[in-house]
Amino acid sequence: MRASRRDFVKLGMAGGIAVTLSRLGPAQAASGPQPFLGHETLPQTGLGGPISGRIDGVAKVTGAKLYASDFRASDMPGWPTRTSHALLVRAHDASHVYEGLDLARLDPAAVPDVVVTAADLARLGVTVPAFYAGDLLCPVGETPLYLGQPVALLLFAQFDAYDRARLAFREGGMLRFGRETGPLKRPNYAAYRFTRVAGATPEAPDLYAPIREGWISPGFTESSGRPIWAPLPVAEGGAYAEGARHGEAIRAELKAADPAVLTLERAFTTQSVDPMFLEPEAGLAWYEPSSKVLDIVLGVQSPFEAAESVATLLGSAQADRRPARIDAKFAYVGGGFGGRDHTPFPLYVALAALFLPSRPVRLAHDRFQQFQGGVKRHAFAMRSQIGVDRASGLIRAFAADHVLDGGGLANYSASVATVGATGAIGLYDVPKVDVTTVAEHSRGVTAGSMRGYGTLQTMTALETLIDEVAVALPLDPIELRRRNALPPGGRTMTGNPFSVSVRAPEILDKLEAHSIWRDRALHQRQARPGVLVGTGVACAAKDYGTGADCSLGAVSIDPEGRIAIHSDAVEMGNGIGTALANRVAAHLGRRADAVTVAQVDAFDALGLRSSGDPYAISQAEQDAAARDPRWVPAISSPTSASIGAQVGTHAAAEAARVVFRFGLWPAALALWAIDSGDPRARQWRDAYWQGDRLILSGLPPLPLKAIAAEAHQQGGVTGAMTHAFSRWAWAEATFGLPGEDWTADIDALAVRRGAGGFIRIDRRAVAFPPTEYNRIGTAFTSMCGTVVRVEIDRASGALTIAKAYSVLECGAVLVPQVVLGQAQGGFAMGVGYALLETLPPFEDGPGNGQWNLGRYLVARGSDLPLHDLEIEVLPPLSPREPPKGMAEVVMIPVVPALLNAIHAATGHRFQSLPVTQAMIKGVLG
């Protein structure tokens, strides 16, 4: 069974607790707290819809309260005004028995009012959600499972006491440990093998491929816990044995001595790093026993999962502590990079409120605490083999073995291992591939989702290996990539083609023509005395989406032509509000006056129902469930996996199309005095907007305001609400609408006529993507290439990035400023990953609670080519090409391009990250 990349979250009731979710609107500092409005939106009241720029720009730059860390109890209408504080204490030792807190060492002014331990959680009767299986607080008398595991939750009525205690615990000595046990041993999180053997010609069916045969895992392990990858002569595991036999044959071919084939085998290791989002995790909660309501304010990437997890946590709690209702409010997120998708932090926020009833409690990490407890990027150890035909330069075969350090809890380790493995051949066409991957438990801080999601590690190893092949053949590095680039319709390593545009040749042409690459030899010859110059290039193809993505959107227009949009997507620095406004404007003629994100209450009219796991459901189960016109495979998704542009805006765009076709278009016909029998009545696809005026050739332009007023007068469709589901393709359904059956890439629809309410329209037919698509490794991809020139001081090893150029494609660009910002930010993160950032895995690492930015180096302006970084975005192939996710792919090629440039300058290939100044100086000495 395939591991879920993103768990399905069911809305409604969880553990017998009613759950409501709302987006938190900005509070007005000058006039005190304003009433909470679930539909309060950006731009803020009175500002109007900006003609250009970011919908959220003014609110952010003027310091409006938007983020979870901004809020205190006094900002929340109806709450007590005083805020209490919580401190989550974590273990800095995972090899000795934990014997409890030594609070006698605390200054009396720093003593907590309440101390919550594992025993208290047991008495409360909490139920840990399956995704976070394990002890939320390490019990006294047991060895912590991992460094940074929480051991106690301390609650303080007064801020001063909390602040004194926070500093005292940072100094250490407050936790008691006893006998040494050594680190606890736990099973691996996952082990998979991906093998493909192509047919004799590109058109021939594959001899073996995961899309046809299924995903396989070895059924046997060594005494150490490592998988036994070789097929064993036993009756069990026949499916694995077949794939493993093909894989072993590929490896035997790579080891064979064939003078016509260049074979290389290399090891590569990558480090653990922190997501370093700007806003550390924070939350605010208030439990009022008299009403049995838990109010909670959070900033997460997966709001629906967070709310359900809190409800599951408390669903079996003691009756006097169990909420009857949870009102979850979701603020804007101050950066995520994957690190706030399925984080356990909301569970501790809720517990703080339960153990200090009637008092609002704030739990907020400082940067020390975020380093100690936040999820990290997986460290990878990889060994790769490649065989390339010397005469043609074509890759014949590729094999790799990946080992991931997953840290103390499973989190997304299985999924990251899968995505890293299926992305291991990048954008290349390789007829024989065999990749094994295993995600291991360790005592390190938990690793999970992070920008690049495993492919950053595996494609860095690949692109440096490709560069080494080019030097060894010898062959120009771009020409080698061009010869092996996956063509349109070519099959990925799981055996399916990409279902979107493949533009590797254009990207390679752009890289080859750029002056940084074209003039590389000249710049090397003209280097200043004592300075080494090198130019490097790399490419990447990164999937976006998870294989079970959902989109909820509602669009409405009032008689004045004002447009409102509601969406379940989360704003986390991705500009999703502006993306929604721009995508809807293409259908309705102007940007929205109100855009609300992180919503769910707005979609009750759809009456959606769901069941099962969309990643594991059988075709028969899906077919049976789909007979219910309200059933969908999943209801809502986290905002992650670069789905914002493609998935997050999709439902709203489809809703806007319905409003135009069945509301604005009939109104326009009436204003033009065109009756239904006129051929022009069917030309709605030919009409277009010029500003906010609707144009149809030969007819006078119509202003949107007049059309909207007529649509309301007619009682036409003035609002639409949709749900969409994608399993590497959109579900498609047909609905009965006035005058025609409407078929679209949605599976649920409700419409509003005139000033009425939304009414659900049951679908007449639906086609959900087949469940066998769960065997696809990736179907949606964006591509990016980067070329960099570096200058290295021979005496000190100091590296300067002199110039850089990245070229990418992402389909239709919804918000050019955001695309540019993501590419620039991705470049900076790539520089940090390649040259600066690293976290030791165990006792010297972040789990000891002593890490902050004084020790952890991130890229600064002085490390970047601030005025010499050029970003080029290829235009879409056609006006109808949809947007593609691009936030991850723009980071990936930066790292191997830098490593390849360092090799060009120094003649040395580094096989581990980060490549520091000291390492460079060492090879030059």
Side-chain angles (χ1 to χ4, degrees), residues 34 110 121 284 429 525 609 708 714 780 875 877 925:
Q34 63 182 20
L121 298 189
L284 184 68
D429 185 11
R525 291 194 302 269
R609 290 192 285 253
Q714 290 182 355
F780 304 148
L877 288 176

Side-chain angles (χ1 to χ4, degrees), residues 2 4-6 543-550 615 637-638 640-641 643 726-728 774 776-777 780:
R2 178 180 178 180
S4 166
R5 283 191 60 182
R6 295 288 187 270
D543 65 305
Y544 54 94
T546 72
D549 297 312
C550 308
Y615 298 97
S637 302
S640 55
I643 67 170
S726 170
R727 184 186 288 123
W728 304 123
N774 281 326
I776 291 174
F780 304 148

Side-chain angles (χ1 to χ4, degrees), residues 3-21:
S4 166
R5 283 191 60 182
R6 295 288 187 270
D7 283 354
F8 162 66
V9 180
K10 184 179 180 181
L11 302 178
M13 299 291 290
I17 300 173
V19 181
T20 61
L21 301 97

Side-chain angles (χ1 to χ4, degrees), residues 287-294 319-326:
Y287 176 62
E288 180 49 58
S290 61
S291 63
K292 304 197 76 172
V293 173
L294 173 64
D320 60 337
R321 293 284 187 94
R322 185 172 64 246
R325 180 167 63 87
I326 297 172

